[in-house]
Amino acid sequence: MKRYLLPIILCVVLLSGCISEYIPTGLDSVRGILVVDGAITDGESVFALRRSVAMTDTLTGAETVDNATVFVETNDGERIPAEFRGSGIYAAQTGVLDVAKEYRLRMTVDGEDYVSGFLSPLITPPIDSISFNKERLGDPVIVSVSTHDPDDISPYYRWTYRETWEVQAQLYANARWGPDGSIIWHSLSSSENTYYCWGRDSSKMIFLATADKMRENVISQQTLVEIPCSHDKLSILYHIEVTQMHIRTEAYEYFSDMQQSVERTGDLFSPVLTTAIRGNIRCENDPERQIIGYIEVATATQMDRYFWEKDNLGIYEKVWETCEEYSATNETSAILTYPSLRAPLRCVDCRTKENAGKNKPQDWPTDHL
């Protein structure tokens, strides 16, 4: 099973949506810190390596660490190499974790050696359910997860998710102009059309919950996603895959601190985020060096669910765009009814929608192309 805990902090915090201008001091102190996100889990363990940037920096893609040597080590000397996947991503085939062993992450970056602490695997219980809820007209759709652990191994949980959805353009274009001025004909029986597309997204925030104050180890309807009721995600078919992992007290405290810092500073990059919070990774060459990241060791469980608009769930509220039709000319706009009409690309090309493209997911349950 593939497990991917996305780089949720520091180097990729968005800078939009500020209510008022804020010019922090000491920006140089938060630039270039090694940021590690990931977990050692059963199946495939995936790690993302980045360098932090200051708030005034522009993200260029150069923040990713692409020259590292990465291993998963066991306390009996086994080393499992991680393959570089591009863009700072490394993946190790860890197989079935042995609860009798301890595991850690080892990395060499720019000649410096880094290790996480040795930990034995926590066993994560199954997810009980994924549910949707919408209170009233105009409200967002809330996607939540529920679980329980009868063995009470740990009261602390972390979740990530991946979303996929099908969308369509508002108008069907039966042809478009090619780069050389020729006509390229569309067909709904071919992926050449720009009517059906698929969008993808994944969790960017930290999702935690604890049952430590509960009489039983139960998490009920923990919110993961809030989707505006008019979002294209809900228009045809929406799919979410949730990954759940037990975490230790230390990991929960670490990620809670990270979560609170993000909430406290909004969308701004905060120097506190990189100077006051430490995980379980250290530099062997320089133990005082600041590194951001906590590598947990645990099995992970997954559940996925589809939600169809055709099932009349009452969660989607369509907002119609105005789509003018014009006399056709030899331009980039797609043709609606050759040779008489054309329309703006936003109305006839599903690829203009958020995170959408023609890459249809494998085993997707509709027959659209």
Side-chain angles (χ1 to χ4, degrees), residues 8-29:
I8 49 179
I9 50 176
L10 308 182
C11 55
V12 292
V13 175
L14 299 178
L15 305 181
S16 61
C18 304
I19 296 175
S20 59
E21 184 178 11
Y22 167 62
I23 302 176
T25 60
L27 291 178
D28 289 341
S29 66

Side-chain angles (χ1 to χ4, degrees), residues 108-264:
T108 300
V109 181
D110 297 329
E112 304 289 329
D113 297 322
Y114 300 85
V115 293
S116 64
F118 273 122
L119 295 171
S120 57
L122 294 176
I123 304 301
T124 300
I127 297 171
D128 291 334
S129 65
I130 299 171
S131 58
F132 270 41
N133 183 51
K134 178 184 174 185
E135 291 292 333
R136 59 185 67 86
L137 196 67
D139 282 357
V141 176
I142 307 300
V143 184
S144 59
V145 61
S146 298
T147 188
H148 75 287
D149 184 4
D151 297 324
D152 202 19
I153 292 173
S154 169
Y156 304 111
Y157 296 82
R158 185 185 179 188
W159 295 273
T160 59
Y161 62 81
R162 295 186 297 179
E163 300 171 288
T164 313
W165 60 92
E166 185 173 318
V167 294
Q168 67 182 44
Q170 186 158 319
L171 300 173
Y172 171 64
N174 62 4
R176 70 180 184 273
W177 298 110
D180 59 355
S182 62
I183 299 295
I184 300 176
W185 291 98
H186 294 174
S187 169
L188 288 177
S189 61
S190 166
S191 59
E192 187 64 52
N193 75 81
T194 59
Y195 191 56
Y196 289 109
C197 283
W198 291 267
R200 290 174 170 82
D201 205 355
S202 56
S203 48
K204 304 296 191 300
M205 299 299 290
I206 304 169
F207 297 97
L208 305 171
T210 176
D212 62 341
K213 303 266 195 286
M214 307 291 289
R215 188 171 298 175
E216 296 182 330
N217 193 328
V218 175
I219 303 295
S220 179
Q221 295 191 327
Q222 172 68 30
T223 297
L224 295 183
V225 192
E226 290 192 16
I227 308 173
C229 59
S230 60
H231 199 288
D232 288 328
K233 290 181 181 181
L234 306 172
S235 61
I236 301 177
L237 177 59
Y238 173 85
H239 175 258
I240 186 168
E241 180 184 73
V242 178
T243 298
Q244 173 174 285
M245 180 177 289
H246 257 331
I247 58 176
R248 290 168 171 79
T249 303
E250 297 80 5
Y252 181 79
E253 292 174 349
Y254 168 81
F255 288 119
S256 292
D257 286 344
M258 294 301 307
Q259 187 180 53
Q260 291 168 16
S261 294
V262 170
E263 291 173 353
R264 184 169 60 249

Side-chain angles (χ1 to χ4, degrees), residues 4-7 11-12 34-38 45-51 61-70 82-92 105 107 109:
Y4 181 28
L5 304 181
L6 288 173
C11 55
V12 292
L34 181 62
V35 182
V36 183
D37 188 52
S45 300
V46 182
F47 311 96
L49 278 59
R50 304 281 192 272
R51 293 284 184 184
E63 303 83 17
T64 64
V65 177
D66 297 339
N67 61 340
T69 303
V70 180
E83 174 190 14
F84 177 57
R85 295 278 179 84
S87 300
I89 305 300
Y90 299 81
L105 179 67
M107 307 170 292
V109 181

Side-chain angles (χ1 to χ4, degrees), residues 349-361:
D349 193 336
C350 56
R351 296 171 298 180
T352 64
K353 295 182 179 293
E354 181 184 354
N355 294 342
K358 291 298 296 182
N359 183 18
K360 183 177 181 178

Side-chain angles (χ1 to χ4, degrees), residues 44-58:
E44 183 175 76
S45 300
V46 182
F47 311 96
L49 278 59
R50 304 281 192 272
R51 293 284 184 184
S52 65
V53 298
M55 191 181 71
T56 54
D57 290 345
T58 300

